[in-house]
Amino acid sequence: KTRMEYLMRIVFILLAFVLHCKKTSSEDVTPPLVHNYYKETCPHAEEIIRRQVEIAVLKEPRMAASLLRLHFHDCFVMRGGPNWEVLLGRRDSLEASFSGANKFIPAPNSSLDTLIANFNQQGLDVGDLVALSGSHTMGQARCASFRQRAYDVDFFHEQYDRYKRYTTFRRILRSICPASGKDHRLAPLDLVTPAQFDNHYFHNLLQGKGLLGSDTVLISQDHEGVILKQVLAYASDEKLFFDSFVESMVKMSNINVLTGNQGEIRRNCRFVNT
């Protein structure tokens, strides 16, 4: 197994530890999500999880981006950037569905209208879309996700290259991602500070160097200029971005919270209880 797979396995083992600390009764009458959910059943759970995840991220920076997906499983940490208290006690669905879990995840070449519609379906607005897109300051994307960005001349010209100012960036992308094959080759979402959570993503957008098509459309298809103003604000004020990101993350963590008999605390996060 690769080092990344090994570290992810460690995180899921820790996650399983947390699940065993949770109350398993479907009659639980506590509020849907609360701080200090494990205070009585596992008083040291959060401290243990936080420490071990920090160690894993230090060993493999890519872990930080992967852990964004664990925000909904009571486990979250970032490499740099803001901090906040995560509301805990989220229930899992009674049905495990891979297609359902990925139903509203936008494709890497989504149009701005599609992105806005996807976010609206989850109760998130354009401001949340821009703030949460800032998470692309970390992590990597597969070649298959940005090949169009590198080779579709019309697409590239439409975005930023009409004066051929960004051919160097396109050349870098092509050196990583061939015109066909090698779909799993990786490129950092932020070429400048790929392992640091900062506001450099927004500088990239302003320079036409967003890796994914769904990044570049935030500006190129923003005909009213509302998003551009927000991008400019975040690029010039990192603290403003951090504050907005935290607010949107907390808002996102409260999407579709299950209560009562609607869900359960799984003994194994990959399977429904038997």
Side-chain angles (χ1 to χ4, degrees):
K1 291 182 179 294
T2 66
R3 186 181 187 186
M4 183 69 169
E5 290 172 327
Y6 172 73
L7 291 171
M8 283 300 292
R9 187 176 182 181
I10 291 175
V11 171
F12 279 109
I13 289 173
L14 291 169
L15 182 56
F17 162 73
V18 172
L19 292 174
H20 280 291
C21 293
K22 291 183 179 182
K23 300 175 183 178
T24 57
S25 170
S26 61
E27 303 299 323
D28 186 5
V29 294
T30 57
L33 297 177
V34 296
H35 293 122
N36 301 316
Y37 184 82
Y38 311 114
K39 185 175 181 178
E40 295 181 4
T41 55
C42 283
H44 300 295
E46 293 178 45
E47 179 183 347
I48 293 170
I49 294 294
R50 182 181 297 109
R51 178 58 180 161
Q52 294 305 313
V53 170
E54 285 176 350
I55 291 172
V57 170
L58 286 173
K59 290 182 177 179
E60 176 51 76
R62 279 198 293 151
M63 282 287 293
S66 299
L67 287 168
L68 282 167
R69 290 173 290 181
L70 295 182
H71 182 72
F72 294 98
H73 286 285
D74 295 359
C75 174
F76 189 73
V77 67
M78 287 193 304
R79 192 176 177 87
N83 296 302
W84 68 94
E85 291 188 58
V86 177
L87 292 170
L88 307 174
R90 191 177 183 93
R91 296 178 181 274
D92 293 293
S93 170
L94 296 174
E95 298 179 351
S97 171
F98 180 82
S99 60
N102 290 280
K103 185 176 180 180
F104 297 110
I105 297 179
N109 290 320
S110 294
S111 67
L112 181 57
D113 287 342
T114 297
L115 293 173
I116 292 174
N118 283 156
F119 273 67
N120 283 342
Q121 285 178 315
Q122 304 304 320
L124 301 172
D125 57 28
V126 174
D128 297 315
L129 165 62
V130 180
L132 294 173
S133 292
S135 64
H136 284 186
T137 187
M138 293 187 69
Q140 295 176 310
R142 296 169 62 246
C143 167
S145 299
F146 63 86
R147 178 173 283 119
Q148 182 184 16
R149 181 86 167 93
Y151 289 95
D152 188 329
V153 177
D154 292 335
F155 177 84
F156 208 98
H157 284 186
E158 177 190 344
Q159 307 304 324
Y160 290 100
D161 207 32
R162 86 180 46 161
Y163 301 113
K164 299 186 183 300
R165 291 175 294 183
Y166 304 103
T167 53
T168 299
F169 179 62
R170 183 170 58 178
R171 199 174 296 124
I172 292 172
L173 299 187
R174 289 182 174 184
S175 70
I176 299 170
C177 181
S180 62
K182 307 294 183 181
D183 287 355
H184 295 287
R185 281 192 176 178
L186 299 171
L189 290 164
D190 174 5
L191 288 172
V192 181
T193 56
Q196 187 68 28
F197 194 97
D198 53 27
N199 68 338
H200 207 92
Y201 168 80
F202 299 102
H203 291 275
N204 293 340
L205 292 188
L206 294 171
Q207 296 170 15
K209 296 179 181 178
L211 180 65
L212 304 178
S214 56
D215 294 322
T216 65
V217 297
L218 292 178
I219 291 180
S220 67
Q221 296 180 9
D222 172 38
H223 304 302
E224 296 181 359
V226 175
I227 292 177
L228 176 59
K229 290 181 181 178
Q230 192 172 350
V231 169
L232 287 167
Y234 290 162
S236 61
D237 187 342
E238 188 173 70
K239 183 180 183 303
L240 175 63
F241 162 53
F242 286 175
D243 291 343
S244 298
F245 183 81
V246 167
E247 183 178 343
S248 293
M249 282 296 294
V250 172
K251 185 176 177 180
M252 186 172 68
S253 71
N254 282 280
I255 293 174
N256 297 329
V257 176
L258 303 178
T259 59
N261 293 323
Q262 292 180 309
E264 65 183 8
I265 304 300
R266 294 184 188 175
R267 298 183 184 91
N268 183 327
C269 63
R270 298 186 180 191
F271 305 98
V272 296
N273 296 338
T274 56

